[in-house]
Amino acid sequence: MLNSLLFIPDISGFTHFVQNTEVEHSQHVISELLEVLVKANTQHLQLAEVEGDALFFYKENEIPSQEKLLAQIETMFTAFYSHLKLLEKNRICPCNACAKAPNLELKIVVHCGEIQFITVQGKRKPFGESVIEVHRMLKNSIDSDNYTLLSDDVSKVIGLSKGYESKLYLFHESYDTYDDKKVKYLYSEIDKTKLKLNPFATPEEVSFDEKPGIVIVRDFEISARQLLEYITNYSYRYYWAKGVDKIEYNVNEITRLGSEHVCVIDGKRLNFTTVTKKVEGNEIVYGERTTDVPIDLIYNFFIIKPISDTLCQLRLEIYPEAKSWIKKIVLSMFIKAAIKKSTAKSLDALSDFIKKEGRSV
């Protein structure tokens, strides 16, 4: 039987992260990172299992070359830390999960050997001693949470030697003992500063020369952070956004700068993009922009000011923009009043929803 590759990217710090942050957003962060790692699979590895904070890949009866395997490892590290940088730079949520996500790290353990397969609920899964060994190697004596480890078996197959050095890697030799069996391996810590991170869209910060065309102020008996969640988590929009028939969005993504969603109103699709603007020090802001309106553009900014742990003030600023004189007349005579009326109804519905949620807790 030929050697097969066993490959496990594992998110370091997962347990502490989940136990000490908001559950829902921590789940979203981990889900996004696992998706990023899956998409960074350039060697056509088979995904055997999602193991909480890790992915178990294999490549049956084939071991990629040293060049391809090290490139695959680098690609996954690059994708992982690029996404963490995106989460950091485009973050709007102040919760612990979103704030602490950039502290997560990655380790990748690689092994090879003969594997068998078992079928569980119709799905074929790797099985055997080599599978047990690669999982045991996740628990090792390496004094780091950010590294790649290649077992002695796979290192020999690809010709990787102790002391191998490149711009990213410097491999050292070590070993650990599992069930009285000495297991040797090579490992290299990964210097994140040496990764060429993937680019992402720069957050759009908007500034205005004029005051908002519409301002509505309401107090809510809820924390500022929870109010932000009800506004930015689009799954809640169904409960309070009046006139909206359908909302389309990425259910696995935490809303951040650059996020997009679609509101369907009377069959018309309104595409929104998340933006921001400067606010006072202790205020939280969420903004969205759409051009799919009879006038040229509308910005909505939900600015939340904490008053106490259970009380906050929402100031909704709306900036409708019209360039031609005809559109400006239509805006002033009809559209502005309609926007203000429908928005006020939505905020009333949001208040009712929050009160109902409070009673159901």
Side-chain angles (χ1 to χ4, degrees), residues 262-275:
V262 177
C263 288
V264 181
I265 301 175
D266 294 332
K268 180 174 176 58
R269 297 170 61 84
L270 277 65
N271 296 273
F272 287 89
T273 302
T274 303
V275 296

Side-chain angles (χ1 to χ4, degrees), residues 23-41:
V23 173
E24 185 175 3
H25 279 204
S26 65
Q27 290 173 338
H28 278 297
V29 168
I30 298 301
S31 176
E32 284 188 39
L33 288 169
L34 292 176
E35 287 283 356
V36 163
L37 292 172
V38 169
K39 290 178 182 178
N41 172 16

